[in-house]
């Protein structure tokens, strides 16, 4: 297959805009599937690209799925991506390796929150795109209004390539503005494309929009500008060439429309993919040469050059790891030895090379620059670069957003512990946005991800794929305890038993450390005159260190405390290290009770980005969560609010924020400091701690 006959494209959009349905139609018209099955269809089969049981049940896409098909002699590698913000990494890594994309929009809802996010991702990787206004059969459908939103909200320079014939339940087909032909889709599944003259009632509108198209092209393309200024009408070939050049240069976004569900307009979109989206040679891909101080090197999709490929997605199946790879340069064959540059030039053999068709694998012998294939049985991480060893190039990895929500998880059944660990290991390897940490203080396993749906799906997958039921709890907040004033202690520990007893007396005081102190605990020995022998001083210190590891208010560590011992007494026979350690623990508790003990909670620095119209709702929501607003600024219609909020109040915030802003706002948070909790909150926490202790002692 010649390189100019290959297209690598992705389909991305907001939730429920019809990406998977569009993919299904593309596969049907290109002959890859022989029957159409809809998402949540009545036959219960489900769309080809949603291969996971969970995807078919919920009617959503969770993992991006790859496939390939042929249209008019061209090979199209297609990746269908999820729409939920929770699975944003799937879109991110697909766009990282694709040459072009189709941005699908709903003809009624228009540009929605996730359309904005996806558009931002496309801009990050400079991906040329076509827009497809889907669902033209819905009540309230208006393709021209959506094109206007693309211009206003996303700043696209839009060019209508087709106009709809009718809309809503009277939507019949489209008019191709370049060739000035009306296109209808006949047959049970719209497979028979029929071209006719433009309907009489649309002639004026078609002339007006064709003129607008030529004017827009004249602004961005010199060849059309010359014709336009000379009052000449460009030919069809010249218009197609100009649209292609401007699209590749990211100067315009061609807009198509149709209804994938009603099988209309998809073939015209496929023609647009061939005409206006780039082949692998037309995109500049760069690598960094590790031998030459990370100098930028341009990669060429030339089969004879040294092989360079990027592993962009992993899946751990029953039979081993499946690695999706985009080949940027050279050729790879089954049985070749390749080197993992990102992992210290580790040598691996390619045991099996496949082309993916959703969850089916079709074996191939070789693949060359510009292809997207999968390797079977190669151990690596997401974002690793492979070469033949002649060159040491690495590709830039993709942008991985920080997790925003955490949950505590534990297996219900102790026997499932091995499967629980196995599942977590696999998920962290496959998904860079899914993090697993262990909280040493509360001895909990904490999973973190992009949203509540993200973590729910993983909990459900553990149950289904690993037979491991999981208990999901609220994660424990890591509180601290501290003192607010100086307090004296004077404690004598006496214990008389048969033989030598125990005797130790410790006198001194505890006080808060200054706020800028480097350490959280300081022990000062001011003993003079040998009232406590020198050999027992370390035992005293050990006792105090033990005492601060668990405060008496709610059992969390005590911080910011200085302990000073200045007097004491001992007994020549009965005193021992053990006695002084015990005396110190009790002395600390005695002083702690009088030192104005308080609970400290972690305060997070939270940054919320929201469209301007939701600023009031967002700030109101943060105030309800005991937030302190530090400042806000507005830029290009987006407001950034900076504030400090206690971590205990941030649970469930991602869901609340999305519902308050129609899903358009996003937030990030990081630890800022510890601060005292309000009095009411402190009393509540102490009462809960006492209840818990009482329950444990029963």
């Amino acid at each position: 297959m010649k390189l100019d006959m290959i297209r690598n494209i992705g389909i991305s959009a907001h939730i429920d805009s019809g990406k998977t349905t569009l993919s299904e139609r593309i596969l049907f018209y290109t002959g890859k599937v022989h029957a159409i099955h809809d998402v949540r269809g009545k036959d219960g089969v489900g769309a080809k690209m949603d291969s996971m049981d969970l995807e078919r049940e919920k009617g959503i896409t969770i993992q991006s799925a790859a496939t390939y098909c042929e249209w008019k002699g061209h090979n199209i590698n297609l990746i269908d991506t999820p729409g939920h913000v929770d699975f944003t990494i799937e879109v991110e890594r697909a766009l990282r390796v694709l040459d072009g994309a189709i941005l699908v929009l709903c003809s009624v809802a228009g540009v929605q929150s996730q359309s904005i996010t996806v558009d931002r991702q496309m801009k990050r990787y400079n991906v040329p795109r076509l827009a497809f206004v889907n669902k033209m059969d819905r009540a309230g459908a208006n393709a021209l209004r959506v094109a206007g939103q693309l211009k206003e909200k996303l700043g696209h320079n839009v060019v209508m390539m087709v106009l709809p014939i009718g809309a809503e339940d009277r939507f019949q087909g489209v008019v191709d503005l370049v060739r000035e032909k009306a296109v209808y889709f006949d047959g049970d599944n719209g497979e028979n494309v029929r071209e006719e003259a433009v309907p009489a009632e649309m002639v004026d509108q078609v002339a007006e929009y064709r003129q607008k198209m030529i004017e827009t092209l004249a602004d961005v393309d010199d060849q059309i500008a010359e014709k336009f200024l000379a009052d000449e009408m460009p030919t069809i070939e010249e218009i197609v060439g100009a649209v292609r050049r401007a699209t590749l240069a990211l100067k315009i976004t061609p807009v198509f429309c149709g209804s994938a569900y009603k099988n209309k307009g998809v073939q015209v979109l496929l023609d647009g993919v061939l005409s206006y989206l780039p082949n692998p040679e037309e995109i500049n891909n760069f690598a960094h040469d590790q031998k030459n101080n990370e100098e930028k090197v341009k990669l060429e999709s030339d089969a004879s050059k040294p092989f360079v490929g990027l592993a962009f997605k992993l899946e751990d199946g029953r039979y081993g790891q499946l690695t999706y790879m985009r080949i940027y340069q050279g050729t790879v064959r089954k049985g070749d030895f390749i080197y993992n540059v990102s992992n210290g030039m580790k040598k691996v053999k390619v045991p099996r090379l496949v082309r993916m068709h959703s969850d089916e694998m079709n074996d191939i012998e070789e693949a060359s620059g510009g292809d997207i294939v999968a390797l079977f049985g190669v151990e690596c991480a997401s974002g690793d670069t492979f070469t033949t060893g002649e060159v040491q190039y690495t590709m830039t990895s993709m942008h991985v957003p920080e997790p925003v929500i955490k949950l505590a998880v534990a297996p219900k059944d102790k026997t499932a512990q091995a499967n629980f660990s196995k599942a977590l290991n696999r998920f962290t390897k496959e998904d860079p946005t899914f993090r697993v940490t262990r909280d040493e203080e509360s001895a909990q396993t904490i999973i973190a991800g992009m949203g509540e749906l993200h973590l729910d799906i993983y909990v459900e997958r553990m149950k289904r794929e690993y037979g491991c039921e999981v208990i999901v709890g609220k994660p424990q907040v890591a509180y601290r305890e501290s003192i607010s004033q100086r307090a004296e202690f004077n404690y004598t520990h006496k214990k008389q038993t048969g033989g030598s007893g125990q005797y130790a007396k410790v006198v001194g005081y505890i006080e808060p450390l200054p706020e800028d102190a480097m350490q959280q605990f300081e022990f000062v020995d001011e003993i003079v005159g040998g009232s406590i022998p020198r050999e027992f001083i370390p035992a005293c210190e050990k006792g105090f260190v033990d005492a601060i590891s668990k405060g008496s208010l709610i059992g969390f560590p005590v911080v910011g405390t200085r302990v000073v011992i200045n007097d004491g007494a001992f007994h020549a026979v009965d005193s021992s290290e053990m006695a002084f350690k015990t005396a110190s623990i009790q002395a600390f508790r005695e002083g702690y009770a009088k030192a104005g003990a308080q609970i400290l909670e972690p305060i997070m620095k939270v940054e919320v980005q929201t469209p301007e119209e939701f600023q009031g709702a967002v700030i109101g929501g943060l105030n309800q969560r005991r937030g302190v607003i530090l400042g806000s600024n507005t830029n290009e219609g987006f407001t950034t609010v900076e504030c400090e909020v206690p971590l205990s109040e941030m649970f469930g915030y991602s869901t609340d924020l999305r519902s308050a802003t129609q899903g358009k706002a996003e937030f990030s948070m990081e630890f800022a400091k510890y601060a005292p909790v309000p009095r009411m909150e402190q009393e509540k926490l102490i009462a809960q701690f006492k209840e818990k202790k009482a329950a444990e002692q029963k």
Side-chain angles (χ1 to χ4, degrees), residues 597-666:
Q598 58 187 15
I599 299 169
L600 305 179
E601 63 182 348
I603 303 289
M604 309 304 279
K605 183 172 184 257
V606 179
E607 200 175 86
V608 187
Q609 284 183 318
T610 169
E612 234 172 314
E613 66 259 35
F614 301 114
Q615 185 179 352
V618 167
I619 289 176
L622 290 166
N623 287 333
Q624 278 176 350
R625 293 174 179 268
R626 297 198 280 126
V628 177
I629 308 294
L630 302 177
S632 68
N633 56 40
T634 303
N635 188 7
E636 290 182 3
F638 260 77
T639 301
T640 304
V641 181
E642 283 185 21
C643 59
E644 288 182 346
V645 190
L647 175 64
S648 57
E649 300 289 335
M650 287 302 289
F651 297 130
Y653 183 59
S654 59
T655 309
D656 288 359
L657 179 68
R658 282 174 199 165
S659 55
T661 61
Q662 299 169 11
K664 291 178 185 171
E666 47 188 48

Side-chain angles (χ1 to χ4, degrees), residues 144 158-163 175-182 198 202-219 224 227-228 232-243 255 276:
L144 299 174
V158 294
V159 176
M160 292 299 292
M161 304 307 293
V162 298
L163 283 178
V175 173
D176 182 339
L177 288 177
V178 179
R179 295 181 304 126
E180 295 179 280
K181 284 269 198 296
V198 176
M202 286 185 70
V203 170
D204 294 346
Q205 190 192 13
V206 168
E208 178 198 340
Y209 273 92
R210 193 166 197 269
Q211 188 57 29
K212 276 187 186 172
M213 172 169 76
I214 291 167
E215 283 170 21
T216 310
L217 288 172
D219 290 341
I224 299 289
K227 291 255 178 174
F228 184 71
E232 288 176 30
M233 185 54 79
T235 63
I236 290 175
E237 286 73 26
E238 284 170 337
I239 293 175
V240 170
V243 173
V255 180
Y276 309 127

Side-chain angles (χ1 to χ4, degrees), residues 435-496:
R435 317 269 171 93
V436 179
T437 47
R438 182 167 171 77
D439 185 349
E440 291 305 330
E441 272 174 35
S442 58
Q444 290 175 310
T445 302
I446 308 284
I447 55 174
M450 297 307 297
E452 287 173 34
L453 175 70
H454 189 202
L455 297 182
D456 284 351
I457 292 287
Y458 277 123
V459 167
E460 184 65 25
R461 282 183 65 187
M462 278 187 220
K463 187 172 145 190
R464 293 187 180 205
E465 296 172 29
Y466 287 88
C468 173
E469 290 261 359
V470 174
I471 305 164
V472 179
K474 227 185 174 186
Q476 174 75 60
V477 176
Y479 290 104
R480 293 284 180 270
E481 296 183 27
S482 185
I483 55 172
S484 55
Q485 64 202 46
R486 176 176 160 152
E488 310 280 337
F489 57 79
N490 180 343
Y491 187 81
T492 308
H493 172 61
K494 271 191 205 161
K495 201 171 185 188
Q496 201 60 49

Side-chain angles (χ1 to χ4, degrees), residues 111 134 194 205 254 277 390 429 475 515 616 643 653 667:
V111 173
N134 194 14
R194 171 167 56 91
Q205 190 192 13
L277 285 184
E390 295 166 52
K429 199 171 172 187
E515 281 198 3
C643 59
Y653 183 59
F667 79 100

Side-chain angles (χ1 to χ4, degrees), residues 10-227:
I11 297 182
S12 41
H14 186 82
I15 309 150
D16 276 350
S17 297
K19 297 176 292 298
T20 306
T21 307
L22 177 62
S23 310
E24 186 77 7
R25 298 307 184 269
I26 289 176
L27 292 178
F28 178 74
Y29 295 132
T30 55
K32 281 300 284 186
V33 296
H34 302 300
I36 290 175
H37 297 291
D38 283 308
V39 178
R40 292 204 193 98
K42 291 188 179 69
D43 57 6
V45 176
K48 176 73 194 167
M49 299 300 267
D50 285 350
S51 56
M52 218 193 304
D53 289 346
L54 259 173
E55 294 181 313
R56 294 187 172 178
E57 260 170 52
K58 291 185 183 282
I60 59 171
T61 305
I62 294 170
Q63 291 184 328
S64 52
T67 187
Y68 65 99
C69 54
E70 282 187 22
W71 180 251
K72 298 191 175 170
H74 290 67
N75 211 348
I76 300 175
N77 287 315
L78 180 78
I79 297 184
D80 174 32
T81 62
H84 290 74
V85 66
D86 300 53
F87 310 117
T88 185
I89 189 70
E90 291 286 341
V91 185
E92 194 79 44
R93 52 182 165 200
L95 292 176
R96 167 70 186 83
V97 299
L98 292 169
D99 303 329
I102 300 172
L103 177 62
V104 182
L105 300 155
C106 170
S107 63
V108 182
V111 173
Q112 291 164 279
S113 60
Q114 204 49 26
S115 322
I116 298 171
T117 312
V118 167
D119 183 65
R120 211 180 297 150
Q121 291 171 320
M122 290 181 184
K123 282 179 179 155
R124 186 181 293 138
Y125 299 113
N126 296 326
V127 178
R129 54 209 174 276
L130 309 179
F132 181 68
V133 181
N134 194 14
K135 303 195 175 185
M136 281 303 297
D137 56 309
R138 270 185 67 184
N142 184 338
L144 299 174
R145 189 187 76 239
V146 178
Q149 287 184 351
L150 268 174
K151 200 170 192 146
E152 286 160 35
K153 293 192 178 178
L154 301 180
H156 285 221
N157 189 2
V158 294
V159 176
M160 292 299 292
M161 304 307 293
V162 298
L163 283 178
I165 302 172
E168 303 181 4
D169 53 353
R170 290 194 294 282
F171 176 61
Q172 297 166 340
V174 295
V175 173
D176 182 339
L177 288 177
V178 179
R179 295 181 304 126
E180 295 179 280
K181 284 269 198 296
V183 186
Y184 298 96
F185 306 90
D186 301 332
D188 294 341
N189 298 315
E191 62 270 32
N192 303 325
V193 180
R194 171 167 56 91
E195 288 187 2
E196 288 191 8
V198 176
E201 69 274 13
M202 286 185 70
V203 170
D204 294 346
Q205 190 192 13
V206 168
E208 178 198 340
Y209 273 92
R210 193 166 197 269
Q211 188 57 29
K212 276 187 186 172
M213 172 169 76
I214 291 167
E215 283 170 21
T216 310
L217 288 172
D219 290 341
V220 295
D221 190 87
D222 295 343
Q223 290 181 22
I224 299 289
E226 282 173 22
K227 291 255 178 174

Side-chain angles (χ1 to χ4, degrees), residues 386-633:
F386 288 90
T387 69
T388 46
E390 295 166 52
V391 288
Q392 282 190 29
Y393 294 165
T394 53
M395 308 289 294
T396 50
S397 60
M398 55 221 124
H399 167 79
V400 178
E402 284 302 308
V404 294
I405 181 172
K406 299 180 176 181
L407 285 179
V409 289
K412 211 177 222 177
D413 204 351
K414 286 281 178 279
T415 52
Q417 186 72 45
N419 275 359
F420 177 69
S421 310
K422 232 186 243 173
L424 291 181
N425 280 341
R426 172 187 160 189
F427 296 150
T428 43
K429 199 171 172 187
E430 283 183 13
D431 183 350
T433 54
F434 178 73
R435 317 269 171 93
V436 179
T437 47
R438 182 167 171 77
D439 185 349
E440 291 305 330
E441 272 174 35
S442 58
Q444 290 175 310
T445 302
I446 308 284
I447 55 174
M450 297 307 297
E452 287 173 34
L453 175 70
H454 189 202
L455 297 182
D456 284 351
I457 292 287
Y458 277 123
V459 167
E460 184 65 25
R461 282 183 65 187
M462 278 187 220
K463 187 172 145 190
R464 293 187 180 205
E465 296 172 29
Y466 287 88
C468 173
E469 290 261 359
V470 174
I471 305 164
V472 179
K474 227 185 174 186
Q476 174 75 60
V477 176
Y479 290 104
R480 293 284 180 270
E481 296 183 27
S482 185
I483 55 172
S484 55
Q485 64 202 46
R486 176 176 160 152
E488 310 280 337
F489 57 79
N490 180 343
Y491 187 81
T492 308
H493 172 61
K494 271 191 205 161
K495 201 171 185 188
Q496 201 60 49
T497 52
S500 62
Q502 289 183 19
Y503 179 86
K505 183 179 180 184
V506 185
V507 182
Y509 60 89
I510 60 174
E511 62 181 2
L513 280 168
E515 281 198 3
D516 56 355
M518 293 296 288
Q519 291 157 307
Q520 293 295 355
F521 170 71
E522 199 178 302
F523 175 73
V524 182
D525 165 22
E526 288 183 1
I527 299 288
V528 284
S531 54
I532 297 176
R534 301 254 45 92
E535 66 264 26
F536 294 139
I537 301 291
C540 293
E541 185 175 355
K542 198 164 186 307
F544 287 119
V545 169
D546 278 7
I548 63 160
S549 68
K550 221 172 186 184
S552 47
L553 290 181
I554 55 169
F556 277 89
V558 181
V559 295
T561 308
R562 176 188 285 135
V563 177
V564 180
I565 54 169
N566 50 24
D567 199 5
F570 73 102
H571 185 279
V573 178
D574 288 354
S575 287
S576 64
E577 284 194 1
M578 189 66 201
F580 273 101
K581 185 179 167 186
T582 309
S584 301
I585 291 173
Q586 297 302 337
F588 181 82
R589 286 182 186 161
E590 183 186 290
Y592 190 63
K594 299 181 284 186
Q598 58 187 15
I599 299 169
L600 305 179
E601 63 182 348
I603 303 289
M604 309 304 279
K605 183 172 184 257
V606 179
E607 200 175 86
V608 187
Q609 284 183 318
T610 169
E612 234 172 314
E613 66 259 35
F614 301 114
Q615 185 179 352
V618 167
I619 289 176
L622 290 166
N623 287 333
Q624 278 176 350
R625 293 174 179 268
R626 297 198 280 126
V628 177
I629 308 294
L630 302 177
S632 68
N633 56 40

